Amino acid sequence: MEQSKVSIIVPVYKVPENYLKKCIESIIAQSMQDIEILLVDDGSPDNCGEICDSYAVKDSRIRVLHKKNGGLSSARNAGFQAATSKWIMFVDGDDWIELDMCDYMYREGEKNDVQLVMCGIMKDYIKTSVEYKFYLEDHKVYEGEECKWLQQQLLVYNGNIAVAYSKLIDRELLLKHNILHDEVLRQGAEGLEFNLRLFEKLERAEFVNKPFYHYIYNESSISAAPTEENNEYVLKCFEKIKEFIDSSGNKEMLEPWLDNRLLYVIITTAISGYFNPSNTEKYSIRKKKYKKYLTKPIIAEALKTENLRGLSKQRKTVLWLIKHQQFWLLQVLGMVRKKQKETGAARI
């Protein structure tokens, strides 16, 4: 059987039916037909697995992998290990992609002989969509030392490239260096950790400023839940990232930006976590827990950094409130933040 050009890996777990169907149908309808579609049912307890199977019956390019629940990283790894194409693409089960994404990015990757092609992203809210801004140059091929700068941009919060999706990746690069997702990590930052290791080995990459990928904001998603467990997962990710940076050949460029990136984590954990209106615990309990969170070594160290580059005035205000323990005002900002997420307004 002839090798397909692109393997698209879709992790599936508790995805709302309408989102999952839109995701799969956007992939099936790609203008490039020579693709392999790997739907990874990560032990979803609902009818997600059945929906995937129903599409596989109708399209021979689809393979469904049913596995015991192991988390997003585990599902991505299962899909990658089953993939056979030259190029790999990750698409989350509640997102969708433009019809010419595969074709366009494949042609760019082949034409310019790169190992990675990145594209633009749209963030879709209930009533509106926002196109992400990038610092990268459209159609520029980054090579050699420039890839070290790209790796640094992963830690720049507004760089918007520290995700597994919206990328076309050379499968051979991942195989050669055994670059898999760390299955212990989860809650968003696992994509950052994966990319740091990927970019450590990167020699040539290209960015195309076309928003082919649609990220769907889903307030009820697992990663959006304001739980103590989720906060701990994020901390574990960044502790692992710190370990990587300490041993990286690009440590000099990466280290100054780690604490800066952690400031965003600290702020988000306050506004969207402990002081999120969805958090039903008593204010006194949330306040006590957040004060304890701030004493974690990696968090306490980050709060000392003077690198506030990129932080908006709103975030700097929140950071000041955190440092001065004005937590009651964080409750108010938490409500504002929730409303902004729902409407797609400017982020805190």
Side-chain angles (χ1 to χ4, degrees), residues 271-284:
I271 301 300
S272 298
Y274 288 98
F275 302 104
N276 185 324
S278 301
N279 191 329
T280 58
E281 288 188 311
K282 290 182 179 180
Y283 168 74
S284 59

Side-chain angles (χ1 to χ4, degrees), residues 3 12-13 20-21 67 69 72 92 96 102 132-133 140 154 276 291 332 338 342:
Q3 183 186 43
V12 178
Y13 184 76
L20 179 57
K21 287 183 175 180
K67 61 181 288 295
N69 179 249
L72 179 60
D92 286 355
W96 63 279
C102 284
Y132 281 23
K133 294 180 180 179
K140 175 179 171 59
L154 293 168
N276 185 324
K291 288 179 72 173
V332 177
K338 187 173 185 292
E342 291 170 349

Side-chain angles (χ1 to χ4, degrees), residues 226-228 231 266-294 318 321-322 325-338:
T227 66
E228 199 80 8
N231 296 332
I266 294 166
I267 292 166
T268 301
T269 300
I271 301 300
S272 298
Y274 288 98
F275 302 104
N276 185 324
S278 301
N279 191 329
T280 58
E281 288 188 311
K282 290 182 179 180
Y283 168 74
S284 59
I285 295 175
R286 286 181 282 142
K287 176 182 175 181
K288 182 179 180 180
K289 286 183 175 180
Y290 189 62
K291 288 179 72 173
K292 183 179 179 182
Y293 169 86
L294 295 176
V318 173
L321 293 173
I322 290 170
Q325 298 193 6
Q326 299 296 307
F327 301 123
W328 66 275
L329 279 172
L330 295 180
Q331 280 207 122
V332 177
L333 291 176
M335 288 186 280
V336 173
R337 169 62 168 159
K338 187 173 185 292

Side-chain angles (χ1 to χ4, degrees), residues 228-261:
E228 199 80 8
E229 184 180 35
N230 284 353
N231 296 332
E232 287 300 319
Y233 279 135
V234 173
L235 278 182
K236 286 180 181 178
C237 280
F238 276 92
E239 287 168 354
K240 192 69 178 286
I241 287 167
K242 187 178 187 307
E243 286 179 20
F244 169 81
I245 290 175
D246 286 342
S247 63
S248 170
N250 196 24
K251 179 180 178 180
E252 188 176 343
M253 290 185 72
L254 298 177
E255 196 169 40
W257 282 94
L258 175 61
D259 287 340
N260 176 273
R261 183 61 183 259

Side-chain angles (χ1 to χ4, degrees), residues 195-210:
N195 274 290
L196 282 166
R197 287 184 285 113
L198 169 62
F199 280 52
E200 186 86 357
K201 304 299 181 182
L202 197 61
E203 296 174 355
R204 286 175 62 83
E206 180 185 2
F207 172 72
V208 292
N209 194 18
K210 294 183 180 294

Side-chain angles (χ1 to χ4, degrees), residues 108-338:
E108 288 297 313
E110 292 289 322
K111 178 180 70 176
N112 294 309
D113 189 29
V114 297
Q115 300 161 305
L116 174 70
V117 183
M118 299 170 280
C119 73
I121 303 171
M122 292 294 293
K123 189 169 188 178
D124 294 348
Y125 295 90
I126 296 174
K127 298 179 180 179
T128 186
S129 295
V130 178
E131 184 174 348
Y132 281 23
K133 294 180 180 179
F134 291 84
Y135 298 132
L136 310 186
E137 293 181 43
D138 187 26
H139 286 91
K140 175 179 171 59
V141 174
Y142 296 84
E143 55 186 328
E145 290 298 307
E146 292 176 318
C147 289
K148 290 186 176 181
W149 178 82
L150 277 182
Q151 189 186 35
Q152 181 194 65
Q153 295 308 296
L154 293 168
L155 290 168
V156 177
Y157 179 79
N158 293 313
N160 292 322
I161 61 171
V163 291
Y165 50 80
S166 71
K167 292 180 171 71
L168 192 68
I169 310 170
D170 180 359
R171 185 167 70 99
E172 184 58 36
L173 176 66
L174 298 176
L175 288 171
K176 180 180 178 181
H177 300 287
N178 193 32
I179 302 171
L180 296 169
H181 281 78
D182 189 323
E183 297 186 13
V184 175
L185 307 181
R186 55 186 68 193
Q187 293 313 113
E190 81 283 343
L192 169 57
E193 195 273 342
F194 168 79
N195 274 290
L196 282 166
R197 287 184 285 113
L198 169 62
F199 280 52
E200 186 86 357
K201 304 299 181 182
L202 197 61
E203 296 174 355
R204 286 175 62 83
E206 180 185 2
F207 172 72
V208 292
N209 194 18
K210 294 183 180 294
F212 289 127
Y213 194 94
H214 288 256
Y215 169 80
I216 306 297
Y217 172 68
N218 178 11
E219 187 185 30
S220 62
S221 70
I222 299 169
S223 60
T227 66
E228 199 80 8
E229 184 180 35
N230 284 353
N231 296 332
E232 287 300 319
Y233 279 135
V234 173
L235 278 182
K236 286 180 181 178
C237 280
F238 276 92
E239 287 168 354
K240 192 69 178 286
I241 287 167
K242 187 178 187 307
E243 286 179 20
F244 169 81
I245 290 175
D246 286 342
S247 63
S248 170
N250 196 24
K251 179 180 178 180
E252 188 176 343
M253 290 185 72
L254 298 177
E255 196 169 40
W257 282 94
L258 175 61
D259 287 340
N260 176 273
R261 183 61 183 259
L262 273 165
L263 291 180
Y264 287 89
V265 173
I266 294 166
I267 292 166
T268 301
T269 300
I271 301 300
S272 298
Y274 288 98
F275 302 104
N276 185 324
S278 301
N279 191 329
T280 58
E281 288 188 311
K282 290 182 179 180
Y283 168 74
S284 59
I285 295 175
R286 286 181 282 142
K287 176 182 175 181
K288 182 179 180 180
K289 286 183 175 180
Y290 189 62
K291 288 179 72 173
K292 183 179 179 182
Y293 169 86
L294 295 176
T295 65
K296 301 281 186 180
I298 193 169
I299 298 300
E301 188 63 30
L303 285 170
K304 297 176 184 177
T305 185
E306 297 180 359
N307 182 6
L308 305 183
R309 283 179 288 178
L311 265 72
S312 64
K313 289 182 180 180
Q314 284 180 307
R315 286 195 173 97
K316 287 178 180 177
T317 299
V318 173
L319 186 61
W320 187 92
L321 293 173
I322 290 170
K323 289 182 176 181
H324 291 81
Q325 298 193 6
Q326 299 296 307
F327 301 123
W328 66 275
L329 279 172
L330 295 180
Q331 280 207 122
V332 177
L333 291 176
M335 288 186 280
V336 173
R337 169 62 168 159
K338 187 173 185 292

Side-chain angles (χ1 to χ4, degrees), residues 35-53:
I35 59 177
E36 173 183 53
I37 306 167
L38 297 157
L39 306 179
V40 186
D41 169 24
D42 189 36
S44 193
D46 48 23
N47 65 338
C48 282
E50 295 174 5
I51 292 173
C52 292
D53 287 336

